[in-house]
Amino acid sequence: MLKKIKTSFFCQECGYESIKWLGKCPSCGSWNSFVEEKLNSDSSHRGSWKPRSNYAEGNSKLSAKPHRLSEIDYADQHRIYTPDEELNRVLGGGIMPGSIVLIGGEPGIGKSTLMLQIALMLSSQRVLYVSGEESEQQIKMRAERLGITSDNCFILTETNTQNIFAQAEIVQPHLLIVDSIQTLTSSYLESAAGSVSQVRECAAELISFGKQTHTSIFMIGHITKEGSLAGPKVLEHMVDTVLHFEGDRHLSYRVLRTVKNRFGSTSELGIYEMCGNGLKQVKNPSEILLSQRDEALSGITVGATLEGNRPLLIEVQSLVSASVYGTPQRTPNGFDAKRLNMLLAVLEKRGGYKLYANDVFLNITGGIKVEDPAIDLAVAVSIISSYEDIVIPNRFCFAGEVGLGGEIRAVSRIEQRIAEAQKLGFTDMYISKYNLKNALSNLSITLHLVGTLEDIVRKLFNTL
Ligand code: TYD
Ligand code: MG
């Protein structure tokens, strides 16, 4: 008898499964995202459970036994410390053996370059670099461009997961790199490479291979135009660490950001510069993010932010100009649009600035996205500076969160921010008056404590 092929419809955005086609996904709300995919014949057993009596004694399905937490030994789990300090930092102190890392980013941002560079730099470890996107020759050309050589780096161009595992068992790598998860196919599924069920199945196979053989795995993942990792969201839940590689393709700076990490803190940041011969680590980001300017211009301020454990001084530029159309434009670059609208509303209500009749353009220099609320104060002051056309001296910097009442709120780890500003030669720093409970001594920088936006406007602009 001919076996009936079972199919199901999957949302390509979130992985929601439905037996019939739907125009709109009930789970994530995206339109026209359902694609029919064949299921493997065993899928009807998914999630089923049988009582123990159904298994014969010593059945291999019962091989995993519970252990007392105190009996579990992890002394042998030495992290692999790579020569790349930025990567070590975002991973929380090196690569954890057996960990699965997903690295996402837009096409052409430099994911393959970063991974190949790490594979070659780790010359003391055996690395297997599996590529389903490029030929061996292309990878060799790239390696020559990078100018690093390693005898321990193996290249495999293959997309079938079972073949990859067969080769990995021969090579026995410490680190397996897969470029990219969307090109892999599993022989157990018939759907096309890159479809939700293939991506999910291949990732699950890779994870179980990694955990059983204690191999660390880096998977490269493509990003959809909406900015999420292509394939189901479920991929992010399956892996130990999710990294995003981002940056403006027209600028040379790239940021490696931790989105999820089971072995360290998130919100860590690694900064690289794309050069002619690969990615270079940027050790002193603040000095680069501050543009060298001789002329004093209005609308430019510097915010003392903190990304993970690292203080960063970032330049904020804004331009406020009379609006030609009825609806004024608000165009932030590197800053959240909703937060900008909130700050503009606060400036209007508490400061009396008539921003409703003005276009506001905001730019965080260096192509970096800032999420630290401490940049609020720098953003607010830069908008007022542009509106009033009054220059803020370039040796001033700011750190404070702006509340809805126009109050300047305290920010975390102010000492670190002050130390960084002082190191870079800033003379004056404006911070929340609620921040300093105990006075700091021996400062070469003048601290101005402010409680509300009005305070700061009075001090800097004298217009109230
Ligand atoms: P790539 O790593 O292929 O990006 P992804 O894998 O994320 O799609 O590289 C992208 C770009 O980087 C490519 O346009 C060329 C550039 N590049 C350099 O500028 N310098 C270099 O040394 C290398 C290898 C690439
Ligand atoms: Mg690539």
Side-chain angles (χ1 to χ4, degrees), residues 198-213:
Q198 275 294 4
V199 167
R200 186 163 24 185
E201 172 66 23
C202 294
E205 286 178 19
L206 276 172
I207 290 166
S208 91
F209 176 82
K211 298 286 174 202
Q212 279 170 28
T213 58

Side-chain angles (χ1 to χ4, degrees), residues 162-303:
Q162 296 307 317
N163 294 348
I164 293 172
F165 298 144
Q167 294 302 329
E169 273 174 78
I170 300 167
V171 176
Q172 297 204 328
H174 299 100
L175 178 64
L176 174 67
I177 296 172
V178 178
D179 184 7
S180 65
I181 183 75
Q182 276 95 355
T183 57
L184 295 194
T185 52
S186 162
S187 340
Y188 298 118
L189 285 185
E190 289 179 34
S191 45
S195 64
V196 172
S197 44
Q198 275 294 4
V199 167
R200 186 163 24 185
E201 172 66 23
C202 294
E205 286 178 19
L206 276 172
I207 290 166
S208 91
F209 176 82
K211 298 286 174 202
Q212 279 170 28
T213 58
H214 282 280
T215 313
S216 309
I217 301 183
F218 276 70
M219 299 191 264
I220 292 179
H222 292 288
I223 271 188
T224 59
K225 55 182 185 309
E226 284 81 30
S228 62
L229 276 160
K233 198 81 183 141
V234 83
L235 209 56
E236 293 194 9
H237 299 294
M238 288 159 81
V239 300
D240 298 314
T241 304
V242 180
L243 305 179
H244 272 203
F245 202 37
E246 53 194 41
D248 193 328
R249 220 177 325 157
H250 306 293
L251 298 173
S252 59
Y253 296 107
R254 302 283 184 271
V255 176
L256 190 61
R257 193 186 285 278
T258 325
V259 179
K260 162 187 172 174
N261 196 356
R262 287 188 182 146
F263 309 117
S265 113
T266 54
S267 79
E268 279 295 356
L269 206 71
I271 301 181
Y272 295 90
E273 183 178 4
M274 181 64 95
C275 304
N277 55 350
L279 290 153
K280 295 274 162 298
Q281 308 172 38
V282 176
K283 301 258 155 97
N284 51 349
S286 299
E287 284 173 26
I288 289 155
L289 294 171
L290 300 175
S291 66
Q292 278 71 41
R293 56 189 150 115
D294 300 327
E295 253 179 275
L297 297 169
S298 67
I300 300 181
T301 56
V302 174

Side-chain angles (χ1 to χ4, degrees), residues 3-8 36-41 43-44:
K3 217 168 100 187
K4 189 165 178 284
I5 298 170
K6 287 210 171 136
T7 62
S8 202
E36 184 175 21
E37 291 181 12
K38 288 175 192 156
L39 298 175
N40 55 338
S41 50
S43 66
S44 56

